[in-house]
Each structure stands twice: as C-alpha cells, then as structure tokens.
Amino acid sequence: MEYKDSTQKSLLQRIIVAGLLTLIIWAPLPLGSNRDWSAALLILLVAILALLWAIHLFKHPESNTKLKLPGLVMLAMLVFTQLWVGFQWLFDLSARPGQTFQYLMLGISYTLMFLMVISLFNTRKRLTLLLSVLVASGAFQAFWGASMVLSQVEWLFGVPKEHYLGKATGTFVNRNHLAGYLEMTIGLGIGLMLALRDGQPFRWRNIIELLLGPKTKLRLALVIMVIGLVMTQSRMGNAGFFSSLIIVGAVFIAITKQHRLRNSILLVSFIVIDMIVISQYFGLERLKDRLVNTEVSVSQEADGKLIFDINDLRGLAFTNSIPLAEEKPWIGHGAGSFEVVFMGHAGPNFGGHFDHAHNDYIQFWVEYGLIGSLPLVIFTLIALYQAFRALKNKQSNYRSGVGFGAAMAMIAIIIHSASDFNLQIPANAMTYVVVAAIAVLANTHKNKKLRKQII
C-alpha cells in the first residue's frame, strides 16, 4: 500500500512538472499570449497546474519543499505587488478597472509559476531539463521566424503576418518581443553549455571539440537563436544581448581563474563565429543600417495636427510619460491603464497611438506607482545577486554556469526594457519570472548524484 501511494505521488508530481514544461513552450506560441483569449488561457492553465499541485501537497504534505530565504523574500515581493494591484482594482484607484483585473490575474499566474518552478525543479536533473526546454523553445521560435522570412511565406501562429514583414518575429507579433525572448533563451543556453563543461585543462588540439564536440546540438541551437535574433533587426534586442554577454562574460573570466583560456575562447566564439561570420548572411548589414539611421522628422498639416515620419517615436513617448508618473508617483494610475491615461494626456496632435510606453520602467511607475513597482525592483535585484553568487562558485562548474546564464538573460532584458515593453507581454514576463527562479535554484538545488557518492 505504501508503495502504491509513493507511485501515485511520483506520477502526479511528474504530470505537474510535464505540464509546467509544456506551458513554458506554449506561452509564446499564441502571439506571445498577448491577446485576451490567449492571456485568459494562460491564466487558466497555470490555475489548473497550481490546483493539481495543491492537491498533491494536501495528499503528501511531506513532499513540500521548504523555500530558502532568497526565494521566500522574492515570493513575498511578487505577492505584495499583486496585493497592491488588487487594492487598485477594489478601491477604484485605476483608470481602467477591467484591464487592471486582467493584470491582477496575470500577476497571480506569474507568482504561482515562480513558486512552482522554485519548488518542483529543485534537483539538478530537473533544473537541467527546465533549461533544455527553454533553449529548445527559443531555438524553435528562432527557426520559425527565420524560415518564414527566408521562404517569404510569413505566418504567425495559424494566422498570416501583417506587420514586420521581412523581419523575424517567430510566433510573436512584434520583432522586439521575439528578440526579448531569444535574449533570455540564448543566455540560458550559453549558461547550460558552461554548466556542462568537463573542467579538463585546455589543449589547443581540442579546439574543434570545444566548439562542436559532444554538445553539438546545444551549440547548433545557440547558432539558430543568434541568427533569429539578428534577423529580428531589433536594435536594443541585439545591443542588450551582446552587452550582457560582454558584461557577464568579463565578470566570469575575471573571477574564474581555473581554465581561463578555455572559457575565454568559448565565450569569444559566440561573438566571432555567430556575429561576424554566420550573421553576415542573415541580416547583420540591415541591422547596422537601422542602428545608424534612427531619426524622427515632423511635418504639420493645415489643421495644426503634427504628422511624424518616424523611425523612432519612443523617446517622445517617454518624455510625455514622465508627467503622468509624477501625477500619482506613489499609487499609480492602475495596472494596465497606460493606454487610456497616456493618450488622454498626449492629445490628438501627438502623432501616434501608444498602448504601451516602450519603456518598461516608466510604464510600471505610471501604472503601479512606487508602491507596486519597488517590490519588483527588489525581486530583480535579489535574483541578480543570486545569479552572480552562483557564477562565483568555484566548487561547482554546474552552479557557476547556470548562474552565468541567469545573469546574462536578466541583464539583457534589463537593458532592452529601457526602450521596449517585453515585460508587458505575458509570455516574456512569465519567462522572466522563470529565469529569476533559475537564478535562485542555481544556488539552492540538490545534486542527488553527489549525495549518493557521499553516502
């Protein structure tokens, strides 16, 4: 009887784990889950998995994993923000109550995802599986986006593409959101490659094996994702990715004295081979043109309305958003209310319609106020600290590699968020929360093989 209970416990837990991994792959597919129906479906699927997990814990309370302090504090920050959004909705503090309620449901879903990931992927085997699934999902998105462009048969998820023709978008509507997703998955992929390094001293005769070798599939996935990233022609997406690679790579090489040459060659290969050689054939020149030709020209019609011939209008949106944040600096205008309050403030002569600020930081401030935004800042800072703490681990190649990947993924999005709204897209926001959980797990996961050896 005890054996039967144990089998049922293990089966239900495996079903939940498989469900979470499937959900991670699914989230980007229906247009980044950035439609009312796909966002509602994402919320429903998370709720079902959370209910199954609650049933599992009720029947088998001994399997409950006690969260370490960093995870508990980060969870508390997420919960506090959702409580504040609920307060905005309940007490009529939002300029758009319906959208605030949707943001509340999504926020609760992200919080549950963080809790389930940090509780259920706390072994090295499952953590590696989680990283592998995220890399595979990123490779699929990049392959889909690139193949649609190269074949000139451009479709999203079951619907023809209307915007950003000739640019890779994967199953996202906006190329910048595919870029944001790839920044995270490429970072995690590089981290996984470093985590699985064998720790043997470097020999020049092993250079080919280092670049290809037994990790060929992972290396190929990284190449595909870099190609997809370049083909998005996202300026800040590419800048965020390569900046994060240089920043985190420099810290990693400076800290990790052992096999410094081997690690340096591995990291430099991502720039030399992927960026300079491969990407020359997949849109690097067009991306360079976008970087140097950013400009805004303005004309005026007889009725006084300004018409913008825009290559980039986001700077004007940012400066016009600051007064909105200053109106209600502490309490905000309500989660999800940016479009309503901004267009009312900017007026009909602004020259363009903005449903998002194209800057996550100012949008969170406008919508959530400092009360709701500061906990998210603390959440991110703790995750970054945990990632770099793991990166500095000299006793475990695996932990330092995973920490590298989490740090790189988060820094890339932090940079990109200064000119876009990746964290307003459910698929990317959820992935970011999962990356933050991985940063904590890099330090706190269990290595069952090592435990068996010790015993």
Side-chain angles (χ1 to χ4, degrees), residues 182-184 186-191 194 240-249 267 270 384 387-388 391 401-415 435:
L182 292 178
E183 290 162 33
M184 291 185 281
I186 295 173
L188 293 175
I190 294 174
L194 290 171
F241 164 67
F242 283 100
S243 296
S244 67
L245 176 58
I246 292 169
I247 293 168
V248 181
L267 293 174
F270 289 106
L384 273 175
F388 278 105
L391 184 150
V402 174
F404 182 104
M408 185 176 161
M410 294 184 71
I411 289 175
I413 284 293
I414 287 169
I415 293 171
V435 171

PDB file of all heavy atoms in Angstrom, residues 182-184 186-191 194 240-249 267 270 384 387-388 391 401-415 435:
ATOM      1  N   LEU A 182      14.440  35.635 -27.177  1.00  0.00           N
ATOM      2  CA  LEU A 182      15.699  34.995 -27.558  1.00  0.00           C
ATOM      3  C   LEU A 182      16.854  35.442 -26.675  1.00  0.00           C
ATOM      4  O   LEU A 182      17.771  34.658 -26.399  1.00  0.00           O
ATOM      5  CB  LEU A 182      16.010  35.282 -29.027  1.00  0.00           C
ATOM      6  CG  LEU A 182      15.067  34.640 -30.046  1.00  0.00           C
ATOM      7  CD1 LEU A 182      15.454  35.031 -31.465  1.00  0.00           C
ATOM      8  CD2 LEU A 182      15.043  33.122 -29.901  1.00  0.00           C
ATOM      9  N   GLU A 183      16.851  36.701 -26.246  1.00  0.00           N
ATOM     10  CA  GLU A 183      17.898  37.159 -25.327  1.00  0.00           C
ATOM     11  C   GLU A 183      17.968  36.262 -24.103  1.00  0.00           C
ATOM     12  O   GLU A 183      19.050  35.892 -23.636  1.00  0.00           O
ATOM     13  CB  GLU A 183      17.613  38.593 -24.873  1.00  0.00           C
ATOM     14  CG  GLU A 183      17.771  39.652 -25.938  1.00  0.00           C
ATOM     15  CD  GLU A 183      17.055  40.933 -25.539  1.00  0.00           C
ATOM     16  OE1 GLU A 183      17.013  41.230 -24.343  1.00  0.00           O
ATOM     17  OE2 GLU A 183      16.537  41.622 -26.432  1.00  0.00           O
ATOM     18  N   MET A 184      16.800  35.931 -23.568  1.00  0.00           N
ATOM     19  CA  MET A 184      16.757  35.103 -22.362  1.00  0.00           C
ATOM     20  C   MET A 184      17.166  33.669 -22.656  1.00  0.00           C
ATOM     21  O   MET A 184      17.973  33.073 -21.927  1.00  0.00           O
ATOM     22  CB  MET A 184      15.362  35.161 -21.739  1.00  0.00           C
ATOM     23  CG  MET A 184      15.021  36.516 -21.152  1.00  0.00           C
ATOM     24  SD  MET A 184      13.429  36.566 -20.275  1.00  0.00           S
ATOM     25  CE  MET A 184      12.290  36.695 -21.664  1.00  0.00           C
ATOM     26  N   ILE A 186      18.924  32.434 -25.228  1.00  0.00           N
ATOM     27  CA  ILE A 186      20.341  32.305 -25.623  1.00  0.00           C
ATOM     28  C   ILE A 186      21.232  32.387 -24.386  1.00  0.00           C
ATOM     29  O   ILE A 186      22.175  31.611 -24.228  1.00  0.00           O
ATOM     30  CB  ILE A 186      20.739  33.400 -26.630  1.00  0.00           C
ATOM     31  CG1 ILE A 186      19.973  33.245 -27.944  1.00  0.00           C
ATOM     32  CG2 ILE A 186      22.245  33.320 -26.927  1.00  0.00           C
ATOM     33  CD1 ILE A 186      20.183  34.398 -28.917  1.00  0.00           C
ATOM     34  N   GLY A 187      20.925  33.338 -23.497  1.00  0.00           N
ATOM     35  CA  GLY A 187      21.703  33.451 -22.270  1.00  0.00           C
ATOM     36  C   GLY A 187      21.675  32.164 -21.465  1.00  0.00           C
ATOM     37  O   GLY A 187      22.723  31.687 -20.997  1.00  0.00           O
ATOM     38  N   LEU A 188      20.497  31.580 -21.336  1.00  0.00           N
ATOM     39  CA  LEU A 188      20.376  30.316 -20.598  1.00  0.00           C
ATOM     40  C   LEU A 188      21.107  29.191 -21.325  1.00  0.00           C
ATOM     41  O   LEU A 188      21.698  28.307 -20.690  1.00  0.00           O
ATOM     42  CB  LEU A 188      18.898  29.960 -20.417  1.00  0.00           C
ATOM     43  CG  LEU A 188      18.091  30.895 -19.515  1.00  0.00           C
ATOM     44  CD1 LEU A 188      16.624  30.494 -19.520  1.00  0.00           C
ATOM     45  CD2 LEU A 188      18.630  30.905 -18.089  1.00  0.00           C
ATOM     46  N   GLY A 189      21.086  29.216 -22.663  1.00  0.00           N
ATOM     47  CA  GLY A 189      21.790  28.193 -23.428  1.00  0.00           C
ATOM     48  C   GLY A 189      23.291  28.269 -23.243  1.00  0.00           C
ATOM     49  O   GLY A 189      23.968  27.247 -23.088  1.00  0.00           O
ATOM     50  N   ILE A 190      23.836  29.481 -23.265  1.00  0.00           N
ATOM     51  CA  ILE A 190      25.270  29.652 -23.021  1.00  0.00           C
ATOM     52  C   ILE A 190      25.608  29.204 -21.602  1.00  0.00           C
ATOM     53  O   ILE A 190      26.622  28.535 -21.364  1.00  0.00           O
ATOM     54  CB  ILE A 190      25.678  31.123 -23.243  1.00  0.00           C
ATOM     55  CG1 ILE A 190      25.521  31.498 -24.722  1.00  0.00           C
ATOM     56  CG2 ILE A 190      27.127  31.357 -22.796  1.00  0.00           C
ATOM     57  CD1 ILE A 190      25.763  32.965 -25.012  1.00  0.00           C
ATOM     58  N   GLY A 191      24.742  29.549 -20.664  1.00  0.00           N
ATOM     59  CA  GLY A 191      24.952  29.118 -19.287  1.00  0.00           C
ATOM     60  C   GLY A 191      24.934  27.608 -19.154  1.00  0.00           C
ATOM     61  O   GLY A 191      25.756  27.022 -18.434  1.00  0.00           O
ATOM     62  N   LEU A 194      28.174  26.165 -20.413  1.00  0.00           N
ATOM     63  CA  LEU A 194      29.224  26.339 -19.408  1.00  0.00           C
ATOM     64  C   LEU A 194      29.013  25.401 -18.217  1.00  0.00           C
ATOM     65  O   LEU A 194      29.976  24.898 -17.629  1.00  0.00           O
ATOM     66  CB  LEU A 194      29.260  27.789 -18.934  1.00  0.00           C
ATOM     67  CG  LEU A 194      29.763  28.826 -19.951  1.00  0.00           C
ATOM     68  CD1 LEU A 194      29.542  30.239 -19.423  1.00  0.00           C
ATOM     69  CD2 LEU A 194      31.238  28.603 -20.249  1.00  0.00           C
ATOM     70  N   GLY A 240      21.236  44.645 -26.260  1.00  0.00           N
ATOM     71  CA  GLY A 240      21.073  44.071 -24.928  1.00  0.00           C
ATOM     72  C   GLY A 240      21.754  42.723 -24.809  1.00  0.00           C
ATOM     73  O   GLY A 240      22.432  42.440 -23.805  1.00  0.00           O
ATOM     74  N   PHE A 241      21.591  41.888 -25.841  1.00  0.00           N
ATOM     75  CA  PHE A 241      22.192  40.557 -25.799  1.00  0.00           C
ATOM     76  C   PHE A 241      23.718  40.630 -25.748  1.00  0.00           C
ATOM     77  O   PHE A 241      24.362  40.039 -24.887  1.00  0.00           O
ATOM     78  CB  PHE A 241      21.743  39.729 -26.999  1.00  0.00           C
ATOM     79  CG  PHE A 241      22.599  38.517 -27.238  1.00  0.00           C
ATOM     80  CD1 PHE A 241      22.611  37.475 -26.327  1.00  0.00           C
ATOM     81  CD2 PHE A 241      23.409  38.423 -28.356  1.00  0.00           C
ATOM     82  CE1 PHE A 241      23.409  36.358 -26.514  1.00  0.00           C
ATOM     83  CE2 PHE A 241      24.212  37.315 -28.561  1.00  0.00           C
ATOM     84  CZ  PHE A 241      24.210  36.280 -27.644  1.00  0.00           C
ATOM     85  N   PHE A 242      24.316  41.356 -26.690  1.00  0.00           N
ATOM     86  CA  PHE A 242      25.778  41.386 -26.743  1.00  0.00           C
ATOM     87  C   PHE A 242      26.381  42.177 -25.587  1.00  0.00           C
ATOM     88  O   PHE A 242      27.468  41.862 -25.115  1.00  0.00           O
ATOM     89  CB  PHE A 242      26.245  41.911 -28.096  1.00  0.00           C
ATOM     90  CG  PHE A 242      26.123  40.868 -29.174  1.00  0.00           C
ATOM     91  CD1 PHE A 242      25.057  40.885 -30.050  1.00  0.00           C
ATOM     92  CD2 PHE A 242      27.050  39.843 -29.269  1.00  0.00           C
ATOM     93  CE1 PHE A 242      24.924  39.905 -31.020  1.00  0.00           C
ATOM     94  CE2 PHE A 242      26.926  38.858 -30.233  1.00  0.00           C
ATOM     95  CZ  PHE A 242      25.864  38.886 -31.119  1.00  0.00           C
ATOM     96  N   SER A 243      25.668  43.181 -25.093  1.00  0.00           N
ATOM     97  CA  SER A 243      26.155  43.891 -23.906  1.00  0.00           C
ATOM     98  C   SER A 243      26.168  42.972 -22.697  1.00  0.00           C
ATOM     99  O   SER A 243      27.131  42.955 -21.918  1.00  0.00           O
ATOM    100  CB  SER A 243      25.274  45.116 -23.625  1.00  0.00           C
ATOM    101  OG  SER A 243      25.351  46.048 -24.675  1.00  0.00           O
ATOM    102  N   SER A 244      25.099  42.197 -22.542  1.00  0.00           N
ATOM    103  CA  SER A 244      25.032  41.274 -21.399  1.00  0.00           C
ATOM    104  C   SER A 244      26.097  40.191 -21.516  1.00  0.00           C
ATOM    105  O   SER A 244      26.696  39.780 -20.512  1.00  0.00           O
ATOM    106  CB  SER A 244      23.641  40.643 -21.299  1.00  0.00           C
ATOM    107  OG  SER A 244      23.383  39.789 -22.401  1.00  0.00           O
ATOM    108  N   LEU A 245      26.361  39.733 -22.742  1.00  0.00           N
ATOM    109  CA  LEU A 245      27.401  38.720 -22.944  1.00  0.00           C
ATOM    110  C   LEU A 245      28.770  39.275 -22.552  1.00  0.00           C
ATOM    111  O   LEU A 245      29.562  38.606 -21.877  1.00  0.00           O
ATOM    112  CB  LEU A 245      27.420  38.268 -24.407  1.00  0.00           C
ATOM    113  CG  LEU A 245      28.510  37.273 -24.813  1.00  0.00           C
ATOM    114  CD1 LEU A 245      28.424  36.004 -23.975  1.00  0.00           C
ATOM    115  CD2 LEU A 245      28.414  36.949 -26.295  1.00  0.00           C
ATOM    116  N   ILE A 246      29.037  40.516 -22.942  1.00  0.00           N
ATOM    117  CA  ILE A 246      30.333  41.130 -22.623  1.00  0.00           C
ATOM    118  C   ILE A 246      30.457  41.395 -21.127  1.00  0.00           C
ATOM    119  O   ILE A 246      31.487  41.099 -20.509  1.00  0.00           O
ATOM    120  CB  ILE A 246      30.512  42.435 -23.423  1.00  0.00           C
ATOM    121  CG1 ILE A 246      30.661  42.115 -24.915  1.00  0.00           C
ATOM    122  CG2 ILE A 246      31.726  43.218 -22.929  1.00  0.00           C
ATOM    123  CD1 ILE A 246      30.577  43.323 -25.815  1.00  0.00           C
ATOM    124  N   ILE A 247      29.386  41.927 -20.515  1.00  0.00           N
ATOM    125  CA  ILE A 247      29.424  42.253 -19.082  1.00  0.00           C
ATOM    126  C   ILE A 247      29.600  41.001 -18.230  1.00  0.00           C
ATOM    127  O   ILE A 247      30.526  40.891 -17.415  1.00  0.00           O
ATOM    128  CB  ILE A 247      28.148  43.008 -18.667  1.00  0.00           C
ATOM    129  CG1 ILE A 247      28.101  44.394 -19.324  1.00  0.00           C
ATOM    130  CG2 ILE A 247      28.069  43.148 -17.145  1.00  0.00           C
ATOM    131  CD1 ILE A 247      26.759  45.087 -19.201  1.00  0.00           C
ATOM    132  N   VAL A 248      28.693  40.045 -18.420  1.00  0.00           N
ATOM    133  CA  VAL A 248      28.728  38.836 -17.594  1.00  0.00           C
ATOM    134  C   VAL A 248      29.950  37.998 -17.940  1.00  0.00           C
ATOM    135  O   VAL A 248      30.590  37.405 -17.059  1.00  0.00           O
ATOM    136  CB  VAL A 248      27.427  38.021 -17.761  1.00  0.00           C
ATOM    137  CG1 VAL A 248      27.456  36.775 -16.889  1.00  0.00           C
ATOM    138  CG2 VAL A 248      26.213  38.878 -17.405  1.00  0.00           C
ATOM    139  N   GLY A 249      30.298  37.959 -19.230  1.00  0.00           N
ATOM    140  CA  GLY A 249      31.489  37.209 -19.639  1.00  0.00           C
ATOM    141  C   GLY A 249      32.752  37.750 -19.004  1.00  0.00           C
ATOM    142  O   GLY A 249      33.617  36.990 -18.556  1.00  0.00           O
ATOM    143  N   LEU A 267      33.595  31.745 -24.918  1.00  0.00           N
ATOM    144  CA  LEU A 267      32.728  32.921 -24.937  1.00  0.00           C
ATOM    145  C   LEU A 267      32.998  33.793 -26.165  1.00  0.00           C
ATOM    146  O   LEU A 267      32.059  34.295 -26.796  1.00  0.00           O
ATOM    147  CB  LEU A 267      32.923  33.729 -23.651  1.00  0.00           C
ATOM    148  CG  LEU A 267      32.443  33.048 -22.375  1.00  0.00           C
ATOM    149  CD1 LEU A 267      32.808  33.876 -21.154  1.00  0.00           C
ATOM    150  CD2 LEU A 267      30.939  32.815 -22.403  1.00  0.00           C
ATOM    151  N   PHE A 270      31.259  32.841 -29.471  1.00  0.00           N
ATOM    152  CA  PHE A 270      29.880  33.249 -29.724  1.00  0.00           C
ATOM    153  C   PHE A 270      29.832  34.569 -30.490  1.00  0.00           C
ATOM    154  O   PHE A 270      28.948  34.792 -31.314  1.00  0.00           O
ATOM    155  CB  PHE A 270      29.111  33.388 -28.410  1.00  0.00           C
ATOM    156  CG  PHE A 270      28.834  32.078 -27.750  1.00  0.00           C
ATOM    157  CD1 PHE A 270      29.551  31.692 -26.622  1.00  0.00           C
ATOM    158  CD2 PHE A 270      27.884  31.216 -28.247  1.00  0.00           C
ATOM    159  CE1 PHE A 270      29.316  30.478 -26.018  1.00  0.00           C
ATOM    160  CE2 PHE A 270      27.636  29.993 -27.646  1.00  0.00           C
ATOM    161  CZ  PHE A 270      28.355  29.623 -26.529  1.00  0.00           C
ATOM    162  N   LEU A 384      19.310  38.847  -9.354  1.00  0.00           N
ATOM    163  CA  LEU A 384      20.630  39.134  -9.926  1.00  0.00           C
ATOM    164  C   LEU A 384      21.747  38.774  -8.939  1.00  0.00           C
ATOM    165  O   LEU A 384      22.775  38.209  -9.323  1.00  0.00           O
ATOM    166  CB  LEU A 384      20.729  40.609 -10.304  1.00  0.00           C
ATOM    167  CG  LEU A 384      20.223  41.004 -11.689  1.00  0.00           C
ATOM    168  CD1 LEU A 384      20.288  42.514 -11.859  1.00  0.00           C
ATOM    169  CD2 LEU A 384      21.030  40.303 -12.788  1.00  0.00           C
ATOM    170  N   ALA A 387      22.147  35.099  -8.948  1.00  0.00           N
ATOM    171  CA  ALA A 387      22.793  34.635 -10.173  1.00  0.00           C
ATOM    172  C   ALA A 387      24.300  34.850 -10.108  1.00  0.00           C
ATOM    173  O   ALA A 387      25.093  33.946 -10.436  1.00  0.00           O
ATOM    174  CB  ALA A 387      22.194  35.357 -11.384  1.00  0.00           C
ATOM    175  N   PHE A 388      24.737  36.032  -9.687  1.00  0.00           N
ATOM    176  CA  PHE A 388      26.169  36.317  -9.605  1.00  0.00           C
ATOM    177  C   PHE A 388      26.829  35.536  -8.466  1.00  0.00           C
ATOM    178  O   PHE A 388      28.011  35.176  -8.562  1.00  0.00           O
ATOM    179  CB  PHE A 388      26.411  37.815  -9.446  1.00  0.00           C
ATOM    180  CG  PHE A 388      26.376  38.562 -10.749  1.00  0.00           C
ATOM    181  CD1 PHE A 388      25.289  39.338 -11.093  1.00  0.00           C
ATOM    182  CD2 PHE A 388      27.434  38.461 -11.639  1.00  0.00           C
ATOM    183  CE1 PHE A 388      25.250  40.022 -12.299  1.00  0.00           C
ATOM    184  CE2 PHE A 388      27.418  39.130 -12.851  1.00  0.00           C
ATOM    185  CZ  PHE A 388      26.317  39.922 -13.186  1.00  0.00           C
ATOM    186  N   LEU A 391      27.451  32.296 -10.007  1.00  0.00           N
ATOM    187  CA  LEU A 391      28.515  32.446 -11.000  1.00  0.00           C
ATOM    188  C   LEU A 391      29.898  32.385 -10.346  1.00  0.00           C
ATOM    189  O   LEU A 391      30.853  31.859 -10.929  1.00  0.00           O
ATOM    190  CB  LEU A 391      28.325  33.769 -11.740  1.00  0.00           C
ATOM    191  CG  LEU A 391      29.263  34.111 -12.896  1.00  0.00           C
ATOM    192  CD1 LEU A 391      28.550  34.970 -13.924  1.00  0.00           C
ATOM    193  CD2 LEU A 391      30.508  34.845 -12.407  1.00  0.00           C
ATOM    194  N   GLY A 401      27.869  27.903 -14.085  1.00  0.00           N
ATOM    195  CA  GLY A 401      27.334  28.017 -15.439  1.00  0.00           C
ATOM    196  C   GLY A 401      25.883  28.456 -15.453  1.00  0.00           C
ATOM    197  O   GLY A 401      25.485  29.337 -16.229  1.00  0.00           O
ATOM    198  N   VAL A 402      25.071  27.856 -14.594  1.00  0.00           N
ATOM    199  CA  VAL A 402      23.654  28.239 -14.512  1.00  0.00           C
ATOM    200  C   VAL A 402      23.523  29.688 -14.038  1.00  0.00           C
ATOM    201  O   VAL A 402      22.688  30.452 -14.537  1.00  0.00           O
ATOM    202  CB  VAL A 402      22.882  27.285 -13.579  1.00  0.00           C
ATOM    203  CG1 VAL A 402      21.446  27.760 -13.385  1.00  0.00           C
ATOM    204  CG2 VAL A 402      22.881  25.867 -14.153  1.00  0.00           C
ATOM    205  N   GLY A 403      24.358  30.069 -13.075  1.00  0.00           N
ATOM    206  CA  GLY A 403      24.351  31.456 -12.620  1.00  0.00           C
ATOM    207  C   GLY A 403      24.715  32.410 -13.745  1.00  0.00           C
ATOM    208  O   GLY A 403      24.108  33.482 -13.887  1.00  0.00           O
ATOM    209  N   PHE A 404      25.703  32.031 -14.560  1.00  0.00           N
ATOM    210  CA  PHE A 404      26.092  32.835 -15.723  1.00  0.00           C
ATOM    211  C   PHE A 404      24.884  33.038 -16.642  1.00  0.00           C
ATOM    212  O   PHE A 404      24.592  34.157 -17.076  1.00  0.00           O
ATOM    213  CB  PHE A 404      27.213  32.130 -16.482  1.00  0.00           C
ATOM    214  CG  PHE A 404      27.730  32.891 -17.678  1.00  0.00           C
ATOM    215  CD1 PHE A 404      28.941  33.550 -17.609  1.00  0.00           C
ATOM    216  CD2 PHE A 404      27.016  32.937 -18.871  1.00  0.00           C
ATOM    217  CE1 PHE A 404      29.436  34.253 -18.709  1.00  0.00           C
ATOM    218  CE2 PHE A 404      27.490  33.644 -19.961  1.00  0.00           C
ATOM    219  CZ  PHE A 404      28.699  34.300 -19.890  1.00  0.00           C
ATOM    220  N   GLY A 405      24.190  31.949 -16.963  1.00  0.00           N
ATOM    221  CA  GLY A 405      23.058  32.026 -17.878  1.00  0.00           C
ATOM    222  C   GLY A 405      21.933  32.891 -17.357  1.00  0.00           C
ATOM    223  O   GLY A 405      21.359  33.716 -18.096  1.00  0.00           O
ATOM    224  N   ALA A 406      21.610  32.737 -16.072  1.00  0.00           N
ATOM    225  CA  ALA A 406      20.526  33.528 -15.481  1.00  0.00           C
ATOM    226  C   ALA A 406      20.900  35.005 -15.446  1.00  0.00           C
ATOM    227  O   ALA A 406      20.071  35.877 -15.762  1.00  0.00           O
ATOM    228  CB  ALA A 406      20.220  33.019 -14.075  1.00  0.00           C
ATOM    229  N   ALA A 407      22.154  35.307 -15.064  1.00  0.00           N
ATOM    230  CA  ALA A 407      22.596  36.705 -15.009  1.00  0.00           C
ATOM    231  C   ALA A 407      22.558  37.340 -16.389  1.00  0.00           C
ATOM    232  O   ALA A 407      22.088  38.475 -16.562  1.00  0.00           O
ATOM    233  CB  ALA A 407      24.005  36.779 -14.427  1.00  0.00           C
ATOM    234  N   MET A 408      23.032  36.623 -17.382  1.00  0.00           N
ATOM    235  CA  MET A 408      23.061  37.155 -18.740  1.00  0.00           C
ATOM    236  C   MET A 408      21.648  37.391 -19.271  1.00  0.00           C
ATOM    237  O   MET A 408      21.365  38.431 -19.878  1.00  0.00           O
ATOM    238  CB  MET A 408      23.815  36.179 -19.648  1.00  0.00           C
ATOM    239  CG  MET A 408      24.001  36.711 -21.055  1.00  0.00           C
ATOM    240  SD  MET A 408      24.984  35.583 -22.061  1.00  0.00           S
ATOM    241  CE  MET A 408      24.500  36.189 -23.681  1.00  0.00           C
ATOM    242  N   ALA A 409      20.756  36.442 -19.044  1.00  0.00           N
ATOM    243  CA  ALA A 409      19.375  36.582 -19.513  1.00  0.00           C
ATOM    244  C   ALA A 409      18.699  37.790 -18.876  1.00  0.00           C
ATOM    245  O   ALA A 409      18.005  38.565 -19.557  1.00  0.00           O
ATOM    246  CB  ALA A 409      18.595  35.308 -19.196  1.00  0.00           C
ATOM    247  N   MET A 410      18.894  37.974 -17.583  1.00  0.00           N
ATOM    248  CA  MET A 410      18.239  39.077 -16.891  1.00  0.00           C
ATOM    249  C   MET A 410      18.823  40.432 -17.289  1.00  0.00           C
ATOM    250  O   MET A 410      18.077  41.393 -17.502  1.00  0.00           O
ATOM    251  CB  MET A 410      18.349  38.868 -15.374  1.00  0.00           C
ATOM    252  CG  MET A 410      17.587  37.659 -14.875  1.00  0.00           C
ATOM    253  SD  MET A 410      17.622  37.505 -13.081  1.00  0.00           S
ATOM    254  CE  MET A 410      16.569  38.865 -12.624  1.00  0.00           C
ATOM    255  N   ILE A 411      20.145  40.526 -17.400  1.00  0.00           N
ATOM    256  CA  ILE A 411      20.756  41.801 -17.764  1.00  0.00           C
ATOM    257  C   ILE A 411      20.353  42.207 -19.176  1.00  0.00           C
ATOM    258  O   ILE A 411      20.117  43.391 -19.457  1.00  0.00           O
ATOM    259  CB  ILE A 411      22.289  41.721 -17.620  1.00  0.00           C
ATOM    260  CG1 ILE A 411      22.655  41.670 -16.135  1.00  0.00           C
ATOM    261  CG2 ILE A 411      22.975  42.908 -18.293  1.00  0.00           C
ATOM    262  CD1 ILE A 411      24.120  41.474 -15.859  1.00  0.00           C
ATOM    263  N   ALA A 412      20.246  41.230 -20.084  1.00  0.00           N
ATOM    264  CA  ALA A 412      19.823  41.542 -21.455  1.00  0.00           C
ATOM    265  C   ALA A 412      18.438  42.178 -21.466  1.00  0.00           C
ATOM    266  O   ALA A 412      18.201  43.191 -22.146  1.00  0.00           O
ATOM    267  CB  ALA A 412      19.839  40.275 -22.307  1.00  0.00           C
ATOM    268  N   ILE A 413      17.507  41.613 -20.705  1.00  0.00           N
ATOM    269  CA  ILE A 413      16.149  42.167 -20.653  1.00  0.00           C
ATOM    270  C   ILE A 413      16.135  43.505 -19.927  1.00  0.00           C
ATOM    271  O   ILE A 413      15.396  44.424 -20.303  1.00  0.00           O
ATOM    272  CB  ILE A 413      15.192  41.167 -19.967  1.00  0.00           C
ATOM    273  CG1 ILE A 413      14.854  40.038 -20.939  1.00  0.00           C
ATOM    274  CG2 ILE A 413      13.919  41.833 -19.511  1.00  0.00           C
ATOM    275  CD1 ILE A 413      14.028  40.459 -22.126  1.00  0.00           C
ATOM    276  N   ILE A 414      16.945  43.639 -18.902  1.00  0.00           N
ATOM    277  CA  ILE A 414      17.023  44.917 -18.176  1.00  0.00           C
ATOM    278  C   ILE A 414      17.463  46.036 -19.124  1.00  0.00           C
ATOM    279  O   ILE A 414      16.920  47.147 -19.095  1.00  0.00           O
ATOM    280  CB  ILE A 414      17.984  44.787 -16.979  1.00  0.00           C
ATOM    281  CG1 ILE A 414      17.337  43.945 -15.875  1.00  0.00           C
ATOM    282  CG2 ILE A 414      18.379  46.156 -16.434  1.00  0.00           C
ATOM    283  CD1 ILE A 414      18.286  43.534 -14.764  1.00  0.00           C
ATOM    284  N   ILE A 415      18.429  45.748 -19.983  1.00  0.00           N
ATOM    285  CA  ILE A 415      18.885  46.742 -20.961  1.00  0.00           C
ATOM    286  C   ILE A 415      17.803  47.000 -22.005  1.00  0.00           C
ATOM    287  O   ILE A 415      17.482  48.156 -22.321  1.00  0.00           O
ATOM    288  CB  ILE A 415      20.191  46.270 -21.626  1.00  0.00           C
ATOM    289  CG1 ILE A 415      21.329  46.237 -20.604  1.00  0.00           C
ATOM    290  CG2 ILE A 415      20.562  47.181 -22.798  1.00  0.00           C
ATOM    291  CD1 ILE A 415      22.603  45.588 -21.119  1.00  0.00           C
ATOM    292  N   VAL A 435      13.210  32.655 -15.243  1.00  0.00           N
ATOM    293  CA  VAL A 435      14.660  32.904 -15.211  1.00  0.00           C
ATOM    294  C   VAL A 435      15.089  33.339 -13.810  1.00  0.00           C
ATOM    295  O   VAL A 435      16.129  32.907 -13.296  1.00  0.00           O
ATOM    296  CB  VAL A 435      15.057  33.967 -16.252  1.00  0.00           C
ATOM    297  CG1 VAL A 435      16.516  34.387 -16.060  1.00  0.00           C
ATOM    298  CG2 VAL A 435      14.856  33.438 -17.664  1.00  0.00           C
TER     299      VAL A 435
END
